[in-house]
Amino acid sequence: MDKRRRERYRKKLEQKQRELQALVLCTGEAGRATDIDFPKDSAERAANSYTKELLFRQSDAERAQLQLVQQALSRIASVDFGRCQSCDEVINKKRLDAVPWTSFCRDCQEAEEHRGFDPQ
């Protein structure tokens, strides 16, 4: 991969990292804010509990994606970036353009998902 293309991916990854860090922060604050106004009746408590659970699940997904982005940033300076971590083949440019934090080529990603494990 040439230097310009690698730099373009680095910038995309850094931008995505900033976005995810902001989302994780906001989602966490929103989840904690649900505890401030304690609901008075059981219907309000149920709705509050549902909202809180939803926000924390969203935060978990954002944290997982943030970890993938950070791992990609650590690989970007090496020859590992843009290569499948499973089969060591070069990841298709279109896939890498769409999901620059990916660790797998399309075939290996599908195999991982088929096994019930989705790292992305």
Side-chain angles (χ1 to χ4, degrees):
M1 177 180 306
D2 68 37
K3 213 174 185 179
R4 275 193 346 213
R5 191 167 153 214
R6 189 176 298 274
E7 182 63 16
R8 191 175 72 234
Y9 287 128
R10 185 185 63 75
K11 287 180 181 180
K12 283 177 84 170
L13 287 164
E14 287 174 344
Q15 176 61 34
K16 187 68 172 178
Q17 180 182 33
R18 285 189 296 273
E19 290 170 10
L20 287 167
Q21 287 170 333
L23 280 172
V24 165
L25 181 64
C26 289
T27 305
E29 288 173 357
R32 286 185 291 280
T34 60
D35 289 335
I36 293 172
D37 296 325
F38 191 76
K40 296 171 179 52
D41 65 20
S42 61
E44 285 181 14
R45 282 193 297 275
N48 188 27
S49 178
Y50 175 78
T51 300
K52 187 174 182 177
E53 180 67 23
L54 182 67
L55 288 168
F56 283 121
R57 283 182 190 240
Q58 181 179 348
S59 180
D60 287 346
E62 291 162 351
R63 287 176 199 274
Q65 187 177 18
L66 178 58
Q67 184 177 11
L68 292 171
V69 169
Q70 290 169 331
Q71 289 169 353
L73 280 167
S74 70
R75 288 191 313 270
I76 203 146
S78 73
V79 294
D80 291 341
F81 183 78
R83 299 193 75 79
C84 179
Q85 300 296 297
S86 182
C87 70
D88 201 40
E89 292 294 319
V90 174
I91 298 172
N92 179 288
K93 181 184 178 313
K94 286 183 181 181
R95 176 166 172 74
L96 209 52
D97 286 345
V99 188
W101 53 88
T102 190
S103 299
F104 301 104
C105 66
R106 185 183 55 87
D107 292 341
C108 291
Q109 179 68 42
E110 287 176 359
E112 289 290 321
E113 289 171 2
H114 183 69
R115 282 193 288 267
F117 175 73
D118 182 7
Q120 324 232 316

